[in-house]
């Protein structure tokens, strides 16, 4: 049991095993490998949920630099697009990972945000299952970049901080020591996964410590 996701309080939670999560992330890595993204930024434009988690892990598997960003809410473009345009323009990503719903709106979004027009959009929920492709999962060392994390931009232009795999593992170890997390625990989070607490505490710490 890796992840449960509740998007409807009246319905049972959807539960995903580590095996399912791994296979979905490998499919993302295989798709990314076709575009030569090792050490290159990849924009993550997923709503919160399993799709975001598999896209994030797929980037790490492929040796790409994950760039989490809040996907645009079509009802609130005026408020959200400036930050998304700033992040997309600054990181220079050529690939955006998203879901089928947002991928279907790529042309409309590109018209409102030229920074998105040059990107290739990949809907990770439409990727076929299949065996690993050569080169999809790369050998990594701690010094390689893993994550480009941007500030909120609430007081100025968003600024990106490049974090290595060693940075993430070291930080996860400190969080585990500070909170006493273990495989016997359970974590619950309703924080957005695009910023530090929701991303590092709500997603990476459970993966590191092995609790659902």
């Amino acid at each position: 049991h890796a992840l449960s996701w509740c998007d409807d309080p009246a319905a049972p939670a959807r539960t995903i095993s580590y095996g399912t999560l791994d296979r979905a992330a490998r499919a993302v890595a295989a798709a990314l490998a076709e575009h030569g993204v090792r050490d290159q930024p990849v924009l993550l434009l997923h709503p919160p949920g399993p799709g975001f988690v598999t896209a994030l892990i797929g980037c790490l598997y492929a040796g790409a630099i994950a760039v989490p960003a809040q996907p645009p809410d079509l009802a609130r473009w005026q408020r959200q697009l400036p930050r998304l345009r700033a992040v997309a323009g600054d990181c220079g990503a050529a690939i955006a990972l998203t879901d089928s719903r947002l991928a279907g709106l790529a042309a409309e979004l590109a018209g409102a945000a030229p920074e998105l027009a040059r990107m290739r959009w990949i809907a990770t929920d439409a990727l076929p299952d299949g065996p690993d492709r050569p080169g999809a999962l790369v050998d990594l060392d701690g010094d390689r970049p893993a994550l480009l994390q941007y500030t909120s931009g609430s007081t100025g232009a968003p600024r990106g901080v490049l974090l290595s795999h060693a940075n993430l593992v070291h930080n996860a170890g400190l969080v585990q020591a500070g909170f006493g997390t273990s495989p016997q625990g359970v974590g619950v989070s309703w924080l957005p996964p695009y910023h530090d607490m929701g991303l590092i505490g709500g997603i990476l710490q459970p993966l590191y410590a092995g609790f659902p």
Side-chain angles (χ1 to χ4, degrees), residues 29-42 62-64 94-95 122 135 138:
L32 290 175
E34 297 179 356
H35 300 284
V37 297
R38 184 166 184 172
D39 294 335
Q40 298 299 311
V42 172
I95 301 287
I122 298 175
V138 303

Side-chain angles (χ1 to χ4, degrees), residues 83 87 149-159 195:
R83 181 181 187 276
V87 170
Q149 191 171 11
Y150 277 86
T151 60
S152 66
S154 58
T155 59
R159 295 185 179 183
H195 301 301

Side-chain angles (χ1 to χ4, degrees), residues 47-150:
F52 178 90
V53 179
T54 56
L56 173 66
I57 299 174
C59 282
L60 300 181
Y61 278 176
I65 305 172
V67 186
Q70 184 174 2
D73 181 342
L74 299 184
R76 295 186 292 173
W77 272 13
Q78 296 297 324
R79 178 180 177 183
Q80 295 178 336
L81 272 184
R83 181 181 187 276
L84 178 57
R85 293 184 62 181
V87 170
D90 184 72
C91 76
I95 301 287
L97 297 180
T98 188
D99 60 15
S100 297
R101 183 185 69 87
L102 277 175
L105 300 171
E108 188 173 354
L109 289 171
E115 294 83 357
L116 303 178
R118 55 182 170 76
M119 293 185 182
R120 180 182 181 90
W121 291 55
I122 298 175
T124 58
D125 57 344
L127 294 174
D129 292 331
D132 297 335
R133 286 174 237 177
L137 275 67
V138 303
D139 292 329
L140 297 169
D141 58 60
D143 292 332
R144 285 196 174 275
L147 184 70
L148 184 56
Q149 191 171 11
Y150 277 86

